[in-house]
Amino acid sequence: MKKGLLLILSLFCTVAMADDNVVNVSVWSQELSPNIVQQFQKDTGIKVNYSTFDSNEVLYAKMKASKQTQYDVVEPSSYYITRMVREDMIEKIDISRLSNYKNLNPAFIHPDYDPKGEYSIPWVWGLTGIFVNRKYYPNDKIEKWTDLWSPKYRDSLLLLNDPREVFNVGLMTLGYSPNENNLQHLQQAYQNLVALLPNVRLYNSSSVPSMLVDEDVTIGMAWNADVYKAQLQNPDIEFIYPKDKFVIWVDSLVIPKNAPHRDNAYKFLNYVLQAQIAAMQVKETFYPTANQAALAYLPPELANSQIIFPNADLIKKGYFQTDINDNALDAISRYWQLLKLQ
Amino acid sequence: MTNKFQYFSVGLITTWLCIFGLLSFLVMVVMSFLQHDPDHIALWHFTLQNYEDLFNPIFFKIFLKSFYIAFMVTAACLLLGYPFAYIISRLPERLQNTALLLLLLPFWTSSIVRTYAMMSILKTKGLLNTALLSMGIIHEPLQLLFTNTAVGIGLIYNLLPFMILPIYVNLERFDISLIEAAKDLGAKYTTIFRKVIIPLSVPGIVGGCTLVFLPAMTLFFISDLLGGAKALLLGNLIEDQFLMANNWPRGAATSVLLTVIMAIGLLIYWFKSNKRINYEAAI
């Protein structure tokens, strides 16, 4: 009977054609330039079936929806990699087949979410910090997340519309790790965030740069690449690395278990690991790349930007986001609903 | 030939609706009675747990809040839409068609696009603020975007035509001689309106309210875009259940419950309109 249900469900999924010279790739929207895809097709003759997704949850649900995976390369975020390894959804990657692996920044190849670096190829990364528009707050001393709790920012903050991101802040300001499984600590973080609510103006994560440029919101939390983009058009915007720690996320390329076109997947991975290709990606979207060799191919104002390429000491101060257990996730999801019902 | 074409087109649409409407709804109904399993979509094991979960205070609050918003929006649409529909129905026929065309014109654009347009009107440096500032009416930009006011404006704007059309269809067929009879009997305008026109247009009002009330509870992108995602509506709840919490059975139960509420609304409408569904009004 369960098979019948799966059969019905699979009717709703796209079925990739059993053509041999293809590679089925699904990545975060905006994180793999269509130009790279085109160039790969031209250089190798392999057709790329390219699709995008907007949240890890969607990718996870799609991968779970069919028994035999259709994808050859997907790009989950750091904390979902732990989950996918635990649930046996992705394969170990044979690094010896990737001659361009050496281009990667060593800071990213043994991260907490994949300690041996066996399952994932770091592609783009970013970190969540504080932004402030200095035209509105010229002299305010803003150094830490806790500064955002000040009553003078009533009804003005932007928070990312992402439960884990917001709870990271709630936990770190109490001195806990963002990868906390302790339910009591999560409850304290929730109470801490309730105190922040009067200051919250909106939650958004998909159109942050344009909101910053137009000054619809002038202070809050944001990803470094989004702030960099906004700053190009509105120089009053400043990015701050919070002194009470911050979270680094890494979106990595992985190969799903039993990928139908494994050889092409390796060719694709090795191709995008080239320094020039990774540099192409940065020039288009400004997301920091884990490809160190790519920096040589970037214009100096990009390669030297402290916002998108902070120095190694600063990176060490951040936490890599890892997976938390189902009880903790449920608690966050419940507290998130409560936050929005206040 | 005509007959064959009729069978073909009706058959095609019926098949389409059966596969993509009925079948997917049935999958949801079945799913809503299955057990949640974090490693699979669902476990093939009958349970009522998903419906029991909906009696949780958080879900109850979300229902209540959605109901409250939907109720206010429906009331506002009725107050604005009824006089509008009444005036259109009393226009000469040619003008009536033009008025209806103008009413439906915005629907040629998707409502998400129109909501983005609404954002560019309401934002700090948007059209409205720029105009008011340059006319000297205000000196500081109004902070309209990301407030409940903005959500209200967006919902009413999007749903008003759904209130006007059923009432218009009802009033348009209204027998004018009834008003003349009332006048002959010495009734005042207010009495005629209260005792003749309103009671006879109840099916239109119920139809309009049903068409406004349910979308108002679920149009989550309006609350997300214009309200800054600060409120949770039933639509958000269903999306969260499926994607965030990865709990398909509970998400299915939530949407089935919503469908049941909608069905009850339509049944009331059906009985009110003398057991005859007014299909024109339901468009």
Side-chain angles (χ1 to χ4, degrees):
Chain A
M1 279 315 264
K2 202 167 135 193
K3 268 189 183 156
L5 183 72
L6 283 170
L7 186 76
I8 293 170
L9 282 164
S10 65
L11 284 175
F12 298 98
C13 306
T14 40
V15 181
M17 301 306 286
D19 186 347
D20 275 333
N21 214 17
V22 298
V23 60
N24 301 326
V25 178
S26 189
V27 291
W28 279 88
S29 57
Q30 294 208 344
E31 290 195 359
L32 182 68
S33 155
N35 293 333
I36 295 178
V37 172
Q38 266 176 16
Q39 208 165 321
F40 173 77
Q41 295 190 133
K42 216 175 72 193
D43 290 353
T44 61
I46 299 169
K47 188 179 176 319
V48 179
N49 289 320
Y50 172 79
S51 64
T52 62
F53 55 88
D54 281 308
S55 76
N56 285 303
E57 289 78 11
V58 171
L59 172 70
Y60 179 83
K62 277 188 182 166
M63 287 173 73
K64 283 278 179 184
S66 60
K67 217 168 200 172
Q68 165 61 39
T69 181
Q70 306 294 345
Y71 298 119
D72 301 306
V73 176
V74 294
E75 191 206 8
S77 300
S78 29
Y79 59 107
Y80 258 77
I81 288 170
T82 332
R83 172 170 292 248
M84 288 176 174
V85 170
R86 197 176 58 216
E87 295 181 6
D88 201 22
M89 294 166 70
I90 55 180
E91 297 193 346
K92 280 190 184 167
I93 293 175
D94 180 2
I95 305 295
S96 66
R97 291 178 69 177
L98 301 172
S99 58
N100 295 321
Y101 190 79
K102 58 181 190 307
N103 289 341
L104 289 174
N105 183 339
F108 292 100
I109 53 179
H110 298 290
D112 306 343
Y113 55 84
D114 181 12
K116 291 185 188 159
E118 294 172 306
Y119 290 94
S120 60
I121 307 291
W123 173 237
V124 301
W125 60 276
L127 55 85
T128 315
I130 300 173
F131 75 90
V132 56
N133 188 320
R134 284 294 177 194
K135 198 163 95 192
Y136 293 81
Y137 309 101
N139 304 313
D140 287 23
K141 192 166 147 264
I142 302 164
E143 291 181 326
K144 307 191 296 283
W145 289 114
T146 38
D147 293 331
L148 298 180
W149 266 257
S150 156
K152 65 182 161 187
Y153 304 125
R154 205 179 164 80
D155 195 25
S156 24
L157 300 181
L158 165 73
L159 297 189
L160 291 169
N161 196 16
D162 179 316
R164 283 244 16 217
E165 288 278 5
V166 172
F167 270 83
N168 289 342
V169 175
L171 286 164
M172 285 186 296
T173 47
L174 294 173
Y176 299 133
S177 152
N179 303 315
E180 193 66 67
N181 279 317
N182 183 324
L183 295 182
Q184 255 173 352
H185 293 179
L186 284 170
Q187 195 195 357
Q188 288 170 23
Y190 163 67
Q191 278 153 357
N192 192 21
L193 289 168
V194 169
L196 183 66
L197 282 180
N199 287 1
V200 177
R201 182 159 164 74
L202 77 148
Y203 299 88
N204 188 297
S205 26
S206 55
S207 44
V208 172
S210 66
M211 283 180 182
L212 300 201
V213 171
D214 288 347
E215 298 173 3
D216 284 321
V217 62
T218 49
I219 181 168
M221 69 190 280
W223 291 312
N224 55 346
D226 281 351
V227 178
Y228 182 84
K229 265 182 250 181
Q231 204 192 35
L232 292 176
Q233 292 179 59
N234 189 335
D236 293 323
I237 298 166
E238 188 186 319
F239 186 76
I240 295 157
Y241 290 95
K243 286 205 172 135
D244 40 3
K245 286 230 173 188
F246 47 85
V247 167
I248 297 175
W249 49 264
V250 186
D251 293 344
S252 301
L253 299 167
V254 304
I255 302 179
K257 201 101 194 175
N258 302 323
H261 313 98
R262 191 179 289 120
D263 287 341
N264 287 349
Y266 276 99
K267 281 182 199 156
F268 183 82
L269 290 180
N270 203 34
Y271 191 87
V272 298
L273 278 169
Q274 293 174 86
Q276 298 98 310
I277 298 294
M280 237 168 108
Q281 180 61 34
V282 182
K283 278 187 262 184
E284 271 186 41
T285 56
F286 306 121
Y287 283 112
T289 177
N291 193 316
Q292 204 168 29
L295 293 181
Y297 294 89
L298 291 175
E301 69 272 17
L302 258 173
N304 299 329
S305 162
Q306 276 297 305
I307 299 184
I308 47 175
F309 291 112
N311 59 46
D313 289 343
L314 213 48
I315 293 181
K316 278 198 197 103
K317 285 188 186 143
Y319 283 107
F320 279 112
Q321 190 165 27
T322 61
D323 192 32
I324 54 176
N325 65 35
D326 279 338
N327 287 339
L329 266 184
D330 270 356
I332 289 183
S333 162
R334 199 174 62 244
Y335 287 136
W336 178 249
Q337 287 168 347
L338 281 173
L339 275 182
K340 290 212 170 177
L341 284 171
Q342 294 283 327
Chain B
M1 187 61 198
T2 335
N3 241 335
K4 263 188 191 164
F5 180 71
Q6 267 177 7
Y7 281 127
F8 174 72
S9 62
V10 171
L12 187 71
I13 292 172
T14 314
T15 320
W16 181 271
L17 287 178
C18 279
I19 294 176
F20 295 107
L22 191 64
L23 189 63
S24 43
F25 178 69
L26 288 178
V27 171
M28 283 296 115
V29 173
V30 172
M31 178 86 79
S32 73
F33 290 105
L34 298 185
Q35 204 170 37
H36 169 57
D37 173 17
D39 290 344
H40 298 91
I41 286 172
L43 263 189
W44 194 257
H45 184 84
F46 178 82
T47 174
L48 288 173
Q49 185 63 40
N50 305 307
Y51 288 97
E52 280 168 29
D53 283 352
L54 294 179
F55 289 97
N56 159 325
I58 298 181
F59 296 123
F60 189 66
K61 267 190 188 167
I62 296 177
F63 266 94
L64 221 57
K65 191 160 183 176
S66 295
F67 268 161
Y68 171 74
I69 294 175
F71 180 78
M72 298 302 277
V73 168
T74 312
C77 282
L78 185 61
L79 282 177
L80 291 168
Y82 196 94
F84 195 97
Y86 184 79
I87 294 168
I88 296 186
S89 72
R90 292 288 160 268
L91 289 174
E93 197 161 331
R94 205 166 44 83
L95 278 177
Q96 273 188 30
N97 288 334
T98 319
L100 287 177
L101 179 73
L102 289 176
L103 185 69
L104 292 175
L105 205 58
F107 280 78
W108 296 1
T109 316
S110 116
S111 85
I112 293 192
V113 174
R114 281 181 287 132
T115 307
Y116 273 102
M118 191 71 92
M119 280 177 85
S120 69
I121 294 175
L122 295 176
K123 63 199 285 171
T124 316
K125 290 179 167 178
L127 280 176
L128 185 68
N129 273 319
T130 322
L132 290 175
L133 280 169
S134 65
M135 287 189 288
I137 296 173
I138 52 171
H139 302 288
E140 287 256 308
L142 296 174
Q143 297 295 342
L144 280 173
L145 199 54
F146 314 128
T147 60
N148 288 336
T149 322
V151 178
I153 295 174
L155 283 173
I156 293 169
Y157 162 71
N158 266 287
L159 296 171
L160 190 57
F162 293 103
M163 180 63 87
I164 294 174
L165 288 177
I167 299 179
Y168 160 77
V169 170
N170 184 282
L171 289 176
E172 192 243 337
R173 290 202 224 118
F174 191 80
D175 190 352
I176 226 76
S177 57
L178 289 173
I179 298 180
E180 284 159 3
K183 266 193 217 162
D184 288 348
L185 292 169
K188 281 184 285 181
Y189 272 116
T190 44
T191 321
I192 297 175
F193 192 66
R194 209 156 40 87
K195 296 219 158 161
V196 181
I197 300 177
I198 291 205
L200 283 173
S201 55
V202 163
I205 295 177
V206 176
C209 289
T210 319
L211 291 181
V212 170
F213 193 81
L214 285 152
M217 285 196 293
T218 49
L219 278 179
F220 60 86
F221 62 90
I222 293 187
S223 123
D224 278 2
L225 291 174
L226 296 175
K230 272 182 291 188
L232 269 185
L233 294 181
L234 276 177
N236 300 91
L237 180 65
I238 296 172
E239 190 201 2
D240 278 5
Q241 308 267 349
F242 276 103
L243 298 178
M244 275 300 305
N246 195 26
N247 190 338
W248 287 38
R250 201 197 285 158
T254 320
S255 47
V256 169
L257 184 65
L258 191 65
T259 314
V260 170
I261 296 173
M262 180 155 77
I264 293 173
L266 283 173
L267 279 178
I268 294 173
Y269 180 43
W270 190 12
F271 286 115
K272 283 278 177 194
S273 53
N274 297 326
K275 308 206 171 195
R276 183 172 55 85
I277 294 184
N278 190 338
Y279 291 106
E280 272 171 284
I283 289 169

